Amino acid sequence: MFRTALIAGALLIAGPVLAQSQPAGDRVKVNGMEMYYEVSGEGDPLIVLHGAYMNIPSMGAIIPKLAETHKVYALEFQGHGRTTDIDRPITYPNLADDVAAFMDAVGVEKADVFGYSMGAAAGLQLAIRHPEKVNKLAAASVAYDAEGWQPAFKAFIPQMTVEMFVNMPFAEEHRKLAANPDGFPALVKKLIALEHEPMAWGPDVKTLKTPVLIITGDADVATLEHSVALFRLLGGGVMGDMGKPLPASRLAVMPATSHTAVIGQTELLHAFIEPFLKGKTPKRMFE
């Protein structure tokens, strides 16, 4: 969710190359918009949610990797990629409700979810607002409270302007796929407003029954302390060799990894996500 200039390089590198190998997609009406999505692979359903200013291609190779063992539904959020924009703010509850409506529209009753950045926060809200629809949630680069952002990012938010983004290279990449090629400034305005939305979900997170895999870079936009606090709210952080089952939720930290470097580490991401979704844990001594 460092939904800013830092993501430009990743978009430029990943977008044009990976777009060529994506499966054919479709569109469905969701809450007044035409939502674009792609389906690939076979197996249990897995919803994939991208970050802000991103789209399906810029999520990189993790989608086809996950599709080796899952039926992946990758969607594009309001105003992103090939999905149309509507006269409505972009908020995490709105995005979560869009995902729930999308699942209803395509006939997916319940699914695992993998989200990155903005998509991870939307996934967390999906688990909060529509728990019956989420089996397990893998959330990469996520926060549950605005106080958990790095101080440098919190200081940067008040400086954000539309003009700061409209001439950046990834703005042109957006126009190549956009349902409305001239809609980028309006999208930026909404995403800047999203950064100012209140975020204090601790009480809701604490009541979650949905298992959550928290994935963070050790130099991510959320502090390490915040990721650990999220893990503890979900029941994690206990001694694991005392004869009791391990907590259902998990925490994974990527070394030497900034926010925008998280999504490009396909093999490491997959090594975290796949055992979590399959319910596999490392064998403990004396078992």
Side-chain angles (χ1 to χ4, degrees), residues 166-168 170-178 181-182 184-185:
V166 293
N167 293 318
M168 287 186 177
F170 66 87
E172 184 57 36
E173 292 302 313
H174 170 88
R175 294 184 191 101
K176 292 179 181 179
L177 287 182
D182 298 322
F184 188 69

Side-chain angles (χ1 to χ4, degrees), residues 45-47 73 100 102-112 133:
L46 173 62
I47 308 291
Y73 294 79
F102 166 80
M103 293 174 70
D104 290 340
V106 299
V108 176
E109 184 175 343
K110 191 172 188 178
D112 294 319
K133 292 185 174 296

Side-chain angles (χ1 to χ4, degrees), residues 58-280:
S58 60
M59 283 290 281
I62 190 60
I63 291 177
K65 186 67 176 177
L66 290 169
E68 293 176 5
T69 50
H70 304 270
K71 186 172 184 178
V72 173
Y73 294 79
L75 59 84
E76 291 178 337
F77 283 123
Q78 174 187 342
H80 288 75
R82 288 143 286 196
T83 296
T84 58
D85 201 357
I86 54 176
D87 185 16
R88 185 195 68 173
I90 293 177
T91 67
Y92 296 117
N94 282 346
L95 295 176
D97 290 349
D98 291 342
V99 178
F102 166 80
M103 293 174 70
D104 290 340
V106 299
V108 176
E109 184 175 343
K110 191 172 188 178
D112 294 319
V113 177
F114 167 58
Y116 166 62
S117 193
M118 182 182 77
L124 193 56
Q125 274 293 313
L126 180 68
I128 291 169
R129 297 170 68 83
H130 305 277
E132 74 285 354
K133 292 185 174 296
V134 183
N135 183 32
K136 293 182 177 181
L137 168 65
S141 297
V142 72
Y144 68 92
D145 193 298
E147 291 303 309
W149 298 131
Q150 294 278 6
F153 184 63
K154 288 193 285 187
F156 180 62
I157 291 173
Q159 303 175 40
M160 292 181 178
T161 65
V162 173
E163 292 72 25
M164 185 182 293
F165 295 96
V166 293
N167 293 318
M168 287 186 177
F170 66 87
E172 184 57 36
E173 292 302 313
H174 170 88
R175 294 184 191 101
K176 292 179 181 179
L177 287 182
N180 176 13
D182 298 322
F184 188 69
L187 175 63
V188 173
K189 185 176 181 180
K190 290 181 179 181
L191 292 176
I192 291 175
L194 176 64
E195 303 292 1
H196 295 271
E197 283 286 315
M199 177 190 276
W201 308 338
D204 293 323
V205 170
K206 194 171 184 178
T207 64
L208 278 179
K209 304 300 182 185
T210 305
V212 180
L213 167 62
I214 306 154
I215 303 172
T216 185
D218 62 1
D220 215 315
V221 66
T223 66
L224 284 171
E225 292 83 359
H226 187 70
S227 296
V228 171
L230 174 57
F231 186 43
R232 291 192 182 281
L233 280 176
L234 294 164
V238 300
M239 175 70 178
D241 287 313
M242 302 304 291
K244 296 181 179 180
L246 292 173
S249 293
R250 305 183 185 185
L251 172 65
V253 180
M254 293 179 160
T257 301
S258 70
H259 181 67
T260 57
V262 167
I263 197 61
Q265 298 187 65
T266 304
E267 295 301 323
L268 188 54
L269 275 175
H270 189 260
F272 292 148
I273 296 170
E274 190 66 12
F276 169 67
L277 296 183
K278 297 298 185 184
K280 296 180 179 178

